[in-house]
């Protein structure tokens, strides 16, 4: 499918260096820390990106009786092979992840001499945006790209520059600091050598136990045993052993703090807490997550692709979200059966729902208990038809 480009301008095309992935924005908290270096934030963002990448993107056409799917080379290109060095899954994953981490993602659509779409090349860095009277220019790797010649995906539009998106780095800065500090505290606590479970008081000179060799000598002479579990035989007047109970992670409330911070991350990213390991899986909550968070991001991508890649007003891009919902096979079979016997779906459409291949003879619409073709419903004998159907 051809696409006529408006106001064609000459420039150097993006170099092959664009194959690299976009480096994520960072947040400085007691040092240089990237957003993607926080396991909880990265996990939440990648769960959303995985769901976006798992959806098939359809090229749709408006019709009088409803929209239909168009299957051509353009549809295959965008869904399966948008970029020569990436699969469709990886491209959509990169796009969604970059959007959530940086607020913006830029893609250069490359056309061949016949004005056919050849590649969707991702920018490896966020370009410099220069506003103009009629839009803006994206300056990247020595080239200037007008806003109508690149795909600019964005989320959370800025107030002063609504054509530029914002990431979550500001609102997540303190949360990242807390999670990082909790992780460091846990590691230090688990590896600490300053909290022994036993204290042995030795009736000896200070000089004798001041060195490591002296303390090791006392231990080997009195406390070391050949087999684990053997009792210690020690002089009554020389040694005194006391057992202490060190603090645990529960005592310093690390677990409660981490759970609270994870819930905050889940709230900011608008994902169910169980995706971050908090609580149990909830089907209704997950399906609502698909309908709201995932599909809102998918709609953002759909509209930019439709706006920049399609000329025909009857065509648009649409992500297929049905495969993402948490439906049981029995529920899908029950719904499919009801729609089949009422002449709304064919048998092969129902089989496609539950992942089965089509069969011959199941491509007609049938209705009621007799399962007769829909176009012969008026020929039943009880309705006065001439034929006994």
């Amino acid at each position: 499918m051809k696409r006529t480009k408006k106001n064609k301008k000459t420039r150097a095309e993006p170099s092959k260096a664009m194959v690299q992935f976009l480096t994520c924005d960072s947040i400085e908290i007691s040092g240089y820390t990237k957003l993607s270096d926080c396991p909880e934030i990265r996990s939440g963002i990648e769960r959303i990106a995985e769901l976006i990448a798992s959806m098939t993107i359809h090229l749709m056409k408006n019709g009088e009786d409803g929209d239909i799917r168009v299957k051509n080379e353009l549809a295959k290109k965008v869904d399966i092979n948008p970029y020569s060095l990436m699969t469709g899954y990886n491209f959509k994953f990169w796009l969604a992840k970059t959007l959530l981490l940086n607020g913006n993602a830029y893609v250069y659509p490359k056309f061949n001499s016949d004005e056919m779409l050849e590649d969707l090349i991702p920018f490896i860095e966020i370009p410099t945006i220069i506003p103009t009277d009629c839009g803006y220019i994206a300056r990247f790797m020595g080239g200037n790209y007008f806003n109508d010649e690149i795909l600019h995906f964005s989320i959370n539009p800025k107030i002063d520059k609504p054509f530029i998106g914002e990431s979550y780095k500001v609102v997540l800065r303190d949360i990242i600091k807390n999670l990082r500090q909790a992780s460091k505290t846990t590691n230090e606590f688990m590896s600490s050598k300053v909290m022994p479970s036993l204290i042995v008081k030795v009736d000896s000179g200070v000089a004798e136990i001041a060195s490591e060799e002296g303390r090791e000598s006392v231990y080997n002479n009195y406390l070391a045993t050949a087999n684990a579990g053997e009792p210690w035989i020690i002089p009554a007047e020389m040694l005194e052993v006391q057992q202490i109970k060190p603090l645990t992670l529960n005592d310093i409330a690390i677990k409660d703090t981490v759970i609270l911070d994870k819930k905050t991350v889940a709230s900011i990213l608008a994902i169910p807490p169980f995706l971050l390991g908090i609580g149990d899986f909830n089907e209704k909550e997950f399906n609502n997550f698909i309908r709201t968070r995932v599909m809102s991001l998918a709609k953002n991508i759909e509209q930019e692709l439709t706006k920049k890649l399609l000329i025909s007003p009857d065509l648009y891009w649409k992500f297929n979200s049905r495969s993402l919902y948490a439906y049981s096979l029995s529920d899908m079979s029950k719904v499919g059966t009801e729609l089949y016997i009422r002449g709304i779906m064919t048998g092969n459409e129902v089989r496609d729902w539950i992942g089965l291949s089509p069969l011959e003879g199941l491509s007609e619409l049938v209705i009621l208990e007799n399962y007769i073709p829909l176009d012969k419903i008026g020929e039943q004998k009880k309705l006065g038809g001439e034929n006994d159907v």
Side-chain angles (χ1 to χ4, degrees):
M1 179 176 293
K2 293 188 177 181
R3 176 187 183 277
T4 302
K5 299 172 67 179
K6 301 178 181 178
N7 301 327
K8 188 175 181 180
K9 308 170 182 69
T10 59
R11 63 172 55 81
E13 290 185 354
S15 67
K16 289 296 184 180
M18 286 188 181
V19 303
Q20 304 176 25
F21 282 103
L22 181 66
T23 55
C24 304
D25 282 346
S26 58
I27 298 177
E28 292 186 12
I29 46 170
S30 301
Y32 189 77
T33 305
K34 295 181 179 179
L35 267 176
S36 58
D37 286 344
C38 178
E40 291 79 10
I41 295 176
R42 179 169 179 174
S43 176
I45 287 176
E46 289 185 349
R47 297 296 80 75
I48 299 176
E50 287 173 354
L51 293 171
I52 294 291
S54 298
M55 287 189 289
T56 302
I57 184 166
H58 295 171
L59 179 60
M60 305 296 293
K61 183 177 182 179
N62 299 128
E64 294 182 0
D65 297 327
D67 299 344
I68 60 174
R69 182 181 178 184
V70 178
K71 298 181 180 180
N72 57 19
E73 288 300 318
L74 178 60
K76 180 179 179 182
K77 175 66 179 177
V78 173
D79 184 46
I80 304 298
N81 185 31
Y83 181 40
S84 58
L85 300 182
M86 299 173 69
T87 62
Y89 178 92
N90 286 337
F91 181 84
K92 287 178 282 189
F93 184 93
W94 169 85
L95 183 57
K97 184 177 180 179
T98 304
L99 267 175
L100 293 169
L101 286 174
N102 298 295
N104 299 272
Y106 297 83
V107 175
Y108 176 76
K110 180 181 178 182
F111 297 88
N112 58 23
S113 57
D114 296 328
E115 294 299 325
M116 302 290 290
L117 181 63
E118 185 175 325
D119 257 339
L120 295 176
I121 307 175
F123 282 24
I124 62 172
E125 296 177 355
I126 297 297
T128 301
I129 301 299
I130 305 174
T132 64
D133 294 337
C134 57
Y136 61 89
I137 296 175
R139 180 169 294 170
F140 175 74
M141 297 184 67
N144 292 330
Y145 304 89
F146 291 87
N147 58 278
D148 62 342
E149 295 182 331
I150 58 174
L151 302 179
H152 178 191
F153 304 91
S154 63
I155 58 174
N156 303 330
K158 291 185 176 181
I159 300 299
D160 55 338
K161 297 179 181 179
F163 51 86
I164 298 178
E166 286 186 298
S167 69
Y168 300 95
K169 63 181 181 180
V170 175
V171 294
L172 288 173
R173 180 183 289 118
D174 292 337
I175 303 300
I176 291 176
K177 183 177 180 180
N178 293 342
L179 290 171
R180 184 183 176 190
Q181 185 62 50
S183 177
K184 184 177 180 180
T185 301
T186 301
N187 292 336
E188 291 292 333
F189 188 90
M190 299 301 293
S191 61
S192 178
K193 297 182 179 180
V194 298
M195 294 184 295
S197 58
L198 290 176
I199 295 179
V200 179
K201 299 171 64 175
V202 180
D203 184 11
S204 180
V206 175
E208 183 178 354
I209 60 174
S211 64
E212 183 177 351
E213 291 79 6
R215 293 191 297 271
E216 185 175 356
S217 176
V218 173
Y219 177 80
N220 291 333
N221 290 336
Y222 299 103
L223 305 179
T225 59
N227 299 315
E230 290 184 352
W232 291 344
I233 308 300
I234 59 176
E237 302 297 332
M238 183 178 179
L239 300 177
E240 179 182 350
V241 180
Q242 293 183 355
Q243 183 177 2
I244 63 173
K245 182 181 180 181
L247 289 174
T248 66
L249 292 176
N250 289 332
D251 295 328
I252 57 178
I254 286 290
K255 180 180 179 181
D256 296 336
T257 301
V258 170
I259 289 177
L260 180 61
D261 289 337
K262 284 186 176 182
K263 287 183 177 179
T264 305
V265 170
S267 176
I268 293 174
L269 296 180
I271 63 176
F274 59 78
L275 292 180
L276 297 181
I278 303 174
D280 299 326
F281 175 80
N282 186 295
E283 180 179 328
K284 292 184 178 179
E285 188 176 1
F286 180 79
N287 289 337
N288 182 66
F289 164 63
I290 298 298
R291 285 190 294 267
T292 55
R293 187 68 180 102
V294 174
M295 291 312 300
S296 65
L297 185 61
K299 184 64 66 177
N300 189 311
I301 298 174
E302 292 171 1
Q303 293 182 353
E304 182 68 9
L305 291 174
T306 301
K307 176 183 177 182
K308 298 291 182 64
L309 293 184
L310 300 176
I311 293 179
S312 174
D314 297 331
L315 297 177
Y316 65 95
W317 296 101
K318 178 183 178 182
F319 278 99
N320 180 24
S321 62
R322 186 171 56 83
S323 61
L324 299 184
Y325 291 105
Y327 293 138
S328 66
L329 185 59
S330 60
D331 292 338
M332 294 180 64
S333 301
K334 184 183 298 183
V335 174
T337 301
E338 291 295 321
L339 296 177
Y340 174 61
I341 65 177
R342 283 165 172 76
I344 299 175
M345 293 181 66
T346 66
N348 282 329
E349 287 176 330
V350 176
R351 290 178 63 86
D352 181 65
W353 265 32
I354 57 179
L356 298 177
S357 300
L359 292 177
E360 185 177 355
L362 291 180
S363 296
E364 287 187 297
L365 292 174
V366 298
I367 197 168
L368 297 178
E369 69 279 0
N370 295 329
Y371 296 96
I372 62 175
L374 190 63
D375 57 354
K376 295 184 179 181
I377 188 66
E379 299 180 8
Q380 299 180 86
K381 186 176 182 180
K382 63 182 180 181
L383 298 180
E386 296 180 359
N387 300 324
D388 186 7
V389 180

